[in-house]
């Protein structure tokens, strides 16, 4: 590992690059495992407060909806006193398995900035000096967008999904008794999916840098993007219009932000090309 660090990236062989990638992956994995161990120890907080928080009527989202309901004169139509379902484990090692995988998920979320840092360190040698100086900004912005998406998924998507699906019944004869694996899978999918979706502006930034998309392209296919966003919203939310609209709005805002970022990238590239022409 030490020899590869001092090597010129241009002179490194394919196997050297693989070795370098392996060590970046190892360090990122160690970071995830360390935070996962901390999450494993903090079992009461992870499960009683975070995981099962959206199941409780006093969850902040439900309180906010209740206050809005009263504010607009809807009485208590959006106030939830009790969610009519229970969570159970039907496997011998079910709870222990859920404890481990939930801890790993929490470890990945918490260690995301460091994982991103290791990824940046691997691709940085292939970049120009003027691009490397933006590394801190890249990590901060990506981490901010990811955590913003995680919070959106946790405080908006998760409670809406749990409230809708937890209270839905085809008949009073059928009781909602969800397996703990399914319940946590819903929370995990909502949180991580939103965290990754919120990285859209960063993805568009790099796609514009390499010339795969342009502002004109993004504007031209805005209508198709709207359809894709609505389909994506339908996949990660319960099948009701309100939830889909709530999810679609921030994604559409991110899409418009991506167009703005793409314009900035194209403008800078044209300026750099103009300067190079003048210098030559």
């Amino acid at each position: 590992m030490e020899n590869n660090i001092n090597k010129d990236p241009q002179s490194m062989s394919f196997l050297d690059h693989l070795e370098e990638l392996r060590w970046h992956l190892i360090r990122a994995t160690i970071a995830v495992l360390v935070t996962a161990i901390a999450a494993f120890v903090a079992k009461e907080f992870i499960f009683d407060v975070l995981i099962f928080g959206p199941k409780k009527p006093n969850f902040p989202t439900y309180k906010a909806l209740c206050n809005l309901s009263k504010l607009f004169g809807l009485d208590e139509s959006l106030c939830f006193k009790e969610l009519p379902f229970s969570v159970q484990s039907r496997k011998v090692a079910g709870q222990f398995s859920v404890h481990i995988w939930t801890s790993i998920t929490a470890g990945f979320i918490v260690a995301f900035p460091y994982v991103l840092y290791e990824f940046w360190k691997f691709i940085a040698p292939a970049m120009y000096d003027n691009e490397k100086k933006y590394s801190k900004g890249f990590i901060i912005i990506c981490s901010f967008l990811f955590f913003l998406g995680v919070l959106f998924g946790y405080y908006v998507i998760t409670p809406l999904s749990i409230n809708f699906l937890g209270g839905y019944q085809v008949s009073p004869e059928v009781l909602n008794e969800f397996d703990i694996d399914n319940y946590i899978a819903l929370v995990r999918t909502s949180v991580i999916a939103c965290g990754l979706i919120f990285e859209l502006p960063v993805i568009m930034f790099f796609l514009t840098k390499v010339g795969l998309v342009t502002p004109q392209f993004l504007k031209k296919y805005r209508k198709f993007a709207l359809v894709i966003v609505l389909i994506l919203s339908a996949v990660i939310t319960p099948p009701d219009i309100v939830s889909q609209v709530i999810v679609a709005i921030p994604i559409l805002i991110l899409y418009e932000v991506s167009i703005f970022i793409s314009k900035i990238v194209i403008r800078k590239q044209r300026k750099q090309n103009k300067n190079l022409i003048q210098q030559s």
Side-chain angles (χ1 to χ4, degrees):
M1 179 181 68
E2 296 298 331
N3 293 334
N4 288 343
I5 291 177
N6 297 324
K7 281 186 177 181
D8 181 5
Q10 301 296 330
S11 64
M12 290 174 64
S13 66
F14 177 72
L15 291 178
D16 288 333
H17 284 293
L18 284 181
E19 177 69 9
E20 192 71 16
L21 175 61
R22 185 172 75 91
W23 281 105
H24 286 297
L25 291 175
I26 288 174
R27 287 191 290 267
T29 302
I30 291 174
V32 172
L33 290 177
V34 169
T35 49
I37 291 172
F40 187 88
V41 174
K43 179 177 66 173
E44 288 77 12
F45 175 76
I46 295 294
F47 284 91
D48 296 340
V49 177
L50 295 182
I51 300 296
F52 294 117
K55 182 180 178 297
K56 301 173 183 177
N58 61 349
F59 191 68
T61 304
Y62 301 141
K63 287 184 177 180
L65 289 174
C66 185
N67 292 334
L68 284 175
S69 178
K70 294 176 181 178
L71 182 65
F72 290 103
L74 301 176
D75 298 326
E76 295 186 355
S77 56
L78 293 178
C79 297
F80 309 105
K81 295 181 180 180
E82 184 179 358
L83 297 180
F85 71 90
S86 60
V87 180
Q88 60 181 348
S89 177
R90 296 179 297 169
K91 298 177 182 177
V92 175
Q95 295 195 53
F96 182 71
S97 177
V98 162
H99 189 186
I100 291 176
W101 285 108
T102 301
S103 299
I104 292 174
T105 302
F108 170 76
I109 293 174
V110 174
F112 181 79
Y114 184 79
V115 173
L116 205 61
Y117 170 72
E118 287 295 338
F119 169 75
W120 180 268
K121 281 182 66 178
F122 177 70
I123 65 173
M127 295 183 175
Y128 296 108
D129 292 335
N130 63 329
E131 293 175 330
K132 292 179 183 179
K133 65 181 181 181
Y134 296 116
S135 60
K136 290 183 179 179
F138 167 77
I139 294 171
I140 292 173
I141 292 173
C142 285
S143 299
F144 172 76
L145 290 174
F146 178 76
F147 288 130
L148 188 64
V150 166
L151 291 175
F152 180 79
Y154 180 73
Y155 283 105
V156 178
I157 305 302
T158 299
L160 288 177
S161 301
I162 289 175
N163 180 65
F164 177 83
L165 298 174
Y168 187 83
Q169 285 182 298
V170 294
S171 169
E173 298 295 324
V174 182
L175 300 178
N176 282 333
E177 297 178 345
F178 304 138
D179 192 84
I180 189 171
D181 289 335
N182 292 49
Y183 176 87
I184 292 181
L186 186 149
V187 177
R188 180 177 61 245
T189 302
S190 301
V191 168
I192 294 182
C194 287
L196 296 177
I197 288 172
F198 271 56
E199 298 289 347
L200 181 62
V202 177
I203 295 172
M204 290 301 176
F205 170 83
F206 282 104
L207 291 179
T208 304
K209 288 281 288 183
V210 298
L212 293 179
V213 299
T214 62
Q216 292 74 23
F217 176 86
L218 295 175
K219 288 180 180 179
K220 180 180 179 181
Y221 292 98
R222 184 187 274 120
K223 294 181 180 179
F224 296 98
L226 175 60
V227 174
I228 294 173
V229 166
L230 291 176
I231 294 174
L232 188 62
S233 302
V235 170
I236 64 176
T237 61
D240 66 282
I241 300 299
V242 176
S243 299
Q244 292 174 18
V245 170
I246 290 175
V247 175
I249 289 174
I251 298 177
L252 290 174
I253 292 174
L254 289 171
Y255 188 84
E256 294 300 322
V257 171
S258 299
I259 295 176
F260 177 73
I261 291 174
S262 183
K263 287 181 180 179
I264 294 176
V265 173
I266 294 295
R267 192 181 302 130
K268 285 187 176 181
Q269 286 180 341
R270 288 176 179 173
K271 187 177 179 180
Q272 289 176 353
N273 293 335
K274 185 178 179 180
N275 292 335
L276 288 174
I277 292 173
Q278 290 177 349
Q279 290 175 1
S280 60

